[in-house]
Amino acid sequence: MSAPKVETLLTVLLIRNNQVVSTSQLISEIWDERPPRRATAAVHVYISNLRKLLGDSGGGPAGPIVTRPPGYLLRLDSEQLDLTVFQRLVRQGRQSMSESRFEDAARTFDEALALWRGPIPLSSDGPVMTAFSVGVEEARLECVELRVEANLRLGRHRAAISDLYGLVNEHPLHEAFYGQLMRALYLSRRRADALEVYHQLREVLRRELGLEPGAALRELQRAVLTDTVVDGEQPARLTSGR
């Protein structure tokens, strides 16, 4: 698709799939606060172009784009949008976690994350697309965190360390990744490194936000300092293969 404004229109309809998006909302997303005088007519033309691209040149009732006052609706089945599939897989993974089926959970989270193609390029900074971008990135981070958790519960502590170092560098204010890295290091017999990760988080939070690590991280630090059992295991109980 070579026309940025048509791309923006399709993106908004996809984000709000199976919901009516008003023409005024579409105008706001495409042109922000500077719409041309004939913006409404232009939207009609863009909708016509989209219908042709999607194989619905007549704009009939069987086509995916439906005219419905005060705007338009894009009809999609639940499995046609990869984001919907992603959300379903995350729900399945959470269910497996709650039932202590960690192998199934890890596999499901891997399948969900395989749907991602990298950062979502926004063709506009309108409110719908901006909120969507923030929301899906939060959903991706949650899935990454759950996948790491499933692997830690499976005893794959050493295998998780490299990825977790990358995650704390990429997301320096995300406390959950620091906690997971501390646990992975501790259970890999690397107590000093686990404590260093805590001090790194503390310095970042103080510098950026003027805050201390949360209660869960402080409790984890105490457990590492006192060599207390973490996740039901102590370092000496781990096998050399983990």
Side-chain angles (χ1 to χ4, degrees):
M1 188 175 297
S2 58
K5 291 182 174 58
V6 178
E7 183 182 72
T8 297
L9 179 60
L10 176 59
T11 304
V12 174
L13 291 175
L14 284 167
I15 291 170
R16 295 286 179 84
N17 67 90
N18 296 312
Q19 303 175 50
V20 176
V21 183
S22 69
T23 301
S24 61
Q25 180 71 75
L26 293 171
I27 290 172
S28 176
E29 292 292 321
I30 296 170
W31 288 285
D32 196 15
E33 297 178 356
R34 300 174 299 279
R37 285 191 308 160
R38 296 182 55 80
T40 299
V43 168
H44 294 332
V45 172
Y46 299 156
I47 288 291
S48 177
N49 291 339
L50 272 181
R51 282 175 166 150
K52 292 175 183 178
L53 284 169
L54 299 176
D56 177 29
S57 57
I65 298 179
V66 180
T67 301
R68 188 168 296 173
Y72 302 92
L73 175 149
L74 177 62
R75 293 186 297 203
L76 286 180
D77 294 334
S78 60
E79 298 293 300
Q80 283 184 282
L81 191 65
D82 52 6
L83 179 62
T84 306
V85 178
F86 171 84
Q87 292 167 335
R88 172 178 59 77
L89 290 169
V90 172
R91 288 194 299 270
Q92 290 178 3
R94 284 201 203 98
Q95 181 64 32
S96 296
M97 291 286 286
S98 69
E99 297 170 356
S100 298
R101 293 185 292 110
F102 303 120
E103 191 71 58
D104 290 343
R107 185 166 49 250
T108 302
F109 294 136
D110 280 338
E111 186 179 348
L113 290 169
L115 294 169
W116 289 84
R117 308 290 192 270
I120 297 176
L122 296 183
S123 52
S124 87
D125 57 358
V128 172
M129 292 183 68
T130 300
F132 172 77
S133 177
V134 173
V136 294
E137 177 59 15
E138 287 296 320
R140 184 188 72 85
L141 284 179
E142 180 194 14
C143 187
V144 171
E145 183 182 330
L146 288 167
R147 178 181 63 177
V148 171
E149 187 63 32
N151 283 314
L152 291 179
R153 297 297 183 91
L154 289 166
R156 298 167 181 167
H157 312 111
R158 288 192 176 93
I161 289 173
S162 177
D163 287 343
L164 282 166
Y165 268 118
L167 287 168
V168 299
N169 288 329
E170 185 179 354
H171 306 282
L173 299 178
H174 197 86
E175 290 191 39
F177 291 143
Y178 286 89
Q180 290 176 327
L181 178 54
M182 288 176 65
R183 287 161 53 203
L185 288 166
Y186 172 78
L187 292 169
S188 299
R189 308 185 186 98
R190 295 173 59 179
R191 292 176 64 202
D193 290 335
L195 292 172
E196 180 59 32
V197 169
Y198 178 83
H199 291 307
Q200 177 186 342
L201 169 63
R202 192 179 186 190
E203 289 178 6
V204 170
L205 291 179
R206 282 180 169 179
R207 181 177 64 250
E208 299 294 332
L209 303 174
L211 298 174
E212 292 288 329
L217 270 293
R218 295 197 302 271
E219 181 62 32
L220 180 56
Q221 183 212 25
R222 284 192 290 270
V224 174
L225 281 168
T226 58
D227 206 17
T228 306
V229 173
V230 175
D231 287 350
E233 291 190 78
Q234 290 178 317
R237 293 176 59 192
L238 294 175
T239 67
S240 59
R242 290 189 179 178

